[in-house]
Amino acid sequence: MNSHPIAPDAVPASDAAPDAVPASDAAPDAVPASDAAPDAAPAPVRAAGPDGDHRRLGRALGLFDTDPLIGSGLPYWLPDGAAIRHTLEEFVRDRERRAGYRHVYSPVLGKRELYEISGHWQHYRDDMFPPMDLGAEQVVLRPSLCPHHALIYRSRPRSHRELPLRIAELGGMYRSELSGVLGGLTRVRAIQLNDAHVFCTPDQAADEAVAALELIGEAHRALGIRPVRYRLSLPGEGGKYVVDPALWERATALLTEVLSRSGVPFEAVPGEAAFYGPKIDVQIADAAGRESTLSTVQIDFHQPERFGLQYIGPDGAKHRPVMVHRSVIGSVERVVAHLIELYGGAFPAWLAPTQLVLLPLTEGEWALARQLRERCLDLGLRAEVAGPERGSLGARIREARLVPYQAVVGPREAADGRLALRLRDGRRPEPLPAGEALARIRALVGACAQELWDEPGEGRGGSAG
């Protein structure tokens, strides 16, 4: 997809790498030392607020960082950030599989000729890295995944019975961004994009685009993301767009129909289209109010023509498919940046790097705490043991206050096999048998629920369904 859902307003170079903040600043609502008694509930946690820049919070929370020797715009992911990223990737893959997508992998390099055919070399060269000479060939780090997916479609003859063919990939791509506009995770040079392309008949294109918007909405609700607006991005003045008025009119009419059928308010904005066609952009805003594109849907008649894509219709003749581009969560980097600012580190349980922390009162409960952690791992939960070597119980409770669930493991728990949970929002459910308590947590995590707890029979508002 070449919609470039990873290009917000430029961030001044001076803002690109703020100084790391002390760990004490990483979690809002600090608990006074006087409240550190074992019976004190963890302080409530709120989202980051206007000053919660993801660059500051992400470093303080140990999610990602950068190094001058690696280079600007090339962040690396630390273990907690990698846990969030992996969870997001598996979440979107699962949603795509349920929606009928098949996943592929394709190389991050391609011959220069590939991008000459796709039109990127003519219309998008300034945002690409220079070609690399390999003997008599030149290869390029890809700026989008679209050409590779077009070749996957073209790899064998296709029948109308195979359509729509939905191909998805979480793949790397590269943009030659200038250092002055790089910043944190929102504007980077190495991008991991949630991308997909639906190859379909012209009559199927609008339905596929509507379904893509519905899938985007479902994912956003599960993540707690609220778009600020929907934008119909149209061509502007200048020579960066493919010259084919009939193509633009046809694609624009279909996308307008898609937006109307989806019932979302939108505004048409010239100058924001991809070089080969109009697109629907789902816009979000960061903590400072800067707007950027997260998710996109496009209907493309251009690249199927460029690559000579065909299918055999019911009449036995060859026909040209339509290519619907769509990205549910955009780039992994940008969506994580948004979630850091949205939650201030207090992520929903299913996304949290650590979901449950076990707090043995003394060395005597260490073995039980480790056994409980193994049970958590068997259930697919991310759990840690924070023992007395890390300080008093009150200090450990404060240190783990961004973790959704805490469980103090003492002599009573060892004797009766129950867990007394402390929720991040301050609630304390009735002690439950350990197996039941962990199963409740696992069910909420598996449902991608926003709430931390529910009693049997209660609904799960805010879940991914």
Side-chain angles (χ1 to χ4, degrees):
M1 178 171 296
N2 194 54
S3 61
H4 198 355
I6 31 75
D9 295 337
V11 178
S14 59
D15 292 340
D19 294 335
V21 297
S24 59
D25 291 343
D29 293 339
V31 180
S34 60
D35 293 338
D39 289 338
V45 182
R46 60 173 181 264
D51 60 344
D53 191 299
H54 83 276
R55 295 165 293 187
R56 177 178 178 275
L57 282 167
R59 288 178 171 88
L61 294 167
L63 303 180
F64 70 91
D65 212 331
T66 56
D67 190 287
L69 283 177
I70 297 176
S72 299
L74 300 170
Y76 56 83
W77 297 81
L78 296 166
D80 280 356
I84 295 172
R85 171 173 167 170
H86 176 78
T87 301
L88 275 172
E89 290 175 348
E90 288 306 301
F91 163 76
V92 77
R93 285 192 183 103
D94 176 70
R95 290 301 186 271
E96 288 171 338
R97 281 192 294 268
R98 293 172 187 271
Y101 287 83
R102 305 288 300 277
H103 289 95
V104 299
Y105 291 105
S106 56
V108 298
L109 291 169
K111 291 173 64 175
R112 171 176 162 175
E113 181 185 357
L114 173 63
Y115 305 104
E116 291 174 343
I117 293 172
S118 71
H120 286 83
W121 193 252
Q122 177 183 354
H123 297 281
Y124 205 73
R125 189 187 318 173
D126 290 345
D127 293 300
M128 298 170 62
F129 282 97
M132 295 174 277
D133 292 322
L134 291 178
E137 297 179 342
Q138 285 190 322
V139 295
V140 182
L141 284 168
R142 67 178 174 191
S144 74
L145 283 67
C146 323
H148 289 75
H149 288 190
L151 294 183
I152 289 173
Y153 177 89
R154 203 179 71 175
S155 62
R156 64 177 179 82
R158 303 287 180 177
S159 164
H160 68 95
R161 296 183 181 87
E162 298 178 67
L163 307 184
L165 177 65
R166 305 180 185 100
I167 295 174
E169 181 175 2
L170 272 156
M173 65 181 194
Y174 301 84
R175 303 284 171 86
S176 181
E177 302 279 12
L178 298 176
S179 59
V181 299
L182 298 170
L185 296 177
T186 55
R187 191 117 181 199
V188 294
R189 288 170 170 156
I191 302 150
Q192 194 73 13
L193 186 68
N194 159 235
D195 204 4
H197 299 92
V198 181
F199 300 89
C200 60
T201 69
D203 291 342
Q204 295 169 333
D207 287 343
E208 289 298 314
V210 168
L213 267 187
E214 290 173 354
L215 184 60
I216 289 168
E218 291 171 7
H220 287 187
R221 286 189 291 274
L223 292 166
I225 293 172
R226 296 183 178 180
V228 294
R229 64 174 175 143
Y230 290 78
R231 186 177 73 192
L232 178 58
S233 296
L234 303 174
E237 300 296 328
K240 69 174 185 176
Y241 301 103
V242 169
V243 180
D244 190 332
L247 174 155
W248 287 95
E249 290 175 10
R250 189 179 178 194
T252 301
L254 279 172
L255 288 180
T256 302
E257 175 193 338
V258 167
L259 286 163
S260 298
R261 286 173 54 185
S262 300
V264 294
F266 68 94
E267 54 185 298
V269 180
E272 297 292 342
F275 72 81
Y276 50 80
K279 57 194 175 87
I280 296 170
D281 290 326
V282 185
Q283 301 296 105
I284 57 171
D286 66 11
R290 291 178 294 236
E291 191 176 302
S292 59
T293 301
L294 184 65
S295 309
T296 57
V297 178
Q298 302 162 247
I299 293 178
D300 177 10
F301 297 100
H302 174 71
Q303 293 205 50
E305 180 74 28
R306 297 283 293 186
F307 284 100
L309 304 186
Q310 298 175 340
Y311 67 91
I312 304 301
D315 57 359
K318 294 178 179 179
H319 299 268
R320 186 80 67 207
V322 178
M323 195 171 173
V324 177
H325 307 238
R326 61 101 280 230
S327 181
V328 172
I329 60 169
S331 75
V332 174
E333 292 80 10
R334 173 164 297 174
V335 73
V336 170
H338 187 70
L339 293 171
I340 291 170
E341 296 186 357
L342 180 63
Y343 292 110
F347 299 104
W350 68 278
L351 270 177
T354 300
Q355 294 163 329
L356 171 64
V357 63
L358 298 153
L359 304 162
L361 278 176
T362 68
E363 295 291 341
E365 288 80 40
W366 250 108
L368 176 58
R370 284 197 293 267
Q371 290 172 12
L372 289 168
R373 180 177 180 271
E374 290 300 317
R375 293 175 69 176
C376 290
L377 296 177
D378 290 341
L379 289 169
L381 297 174
R382 296 184 288 274
E384 292 183 3
V385 177
E389 79 285 352
R390 291 169 66 170
S392 68
L393 180 60
R396 285 179 279 152
I397 288 172
R398 291 197 307 277
E399 182 184 17
R401 67 184 178 275
L402 292 179
V403 176
Y405 306 100
Q406 301 179 5
V408 176
V409 182
R412 182 170 56 189
E413 288 74 24
D416 64 15
R418 290 176 173 264
L419 277 186
L421 294 172
R422 301 163 175 262
L423 309 188
R424 183 175 58 202
D425 59 15
R427 286 181 291 162
R428 296 190 187 185
E430 288 295 319
L432 293 171
E436 182 180 345
L438 297 181
R440 291 264 196 98
I441 294 172
R442 179 66 187 89
L444 289 162
V445 167
C448 299
Q450 287 286 329
E451 71 270 16
L452 294 178
W453 198 249
D454 62 6
E455 296 298 336
E458 288 184 1
R460 287 180 182 160
S463 77

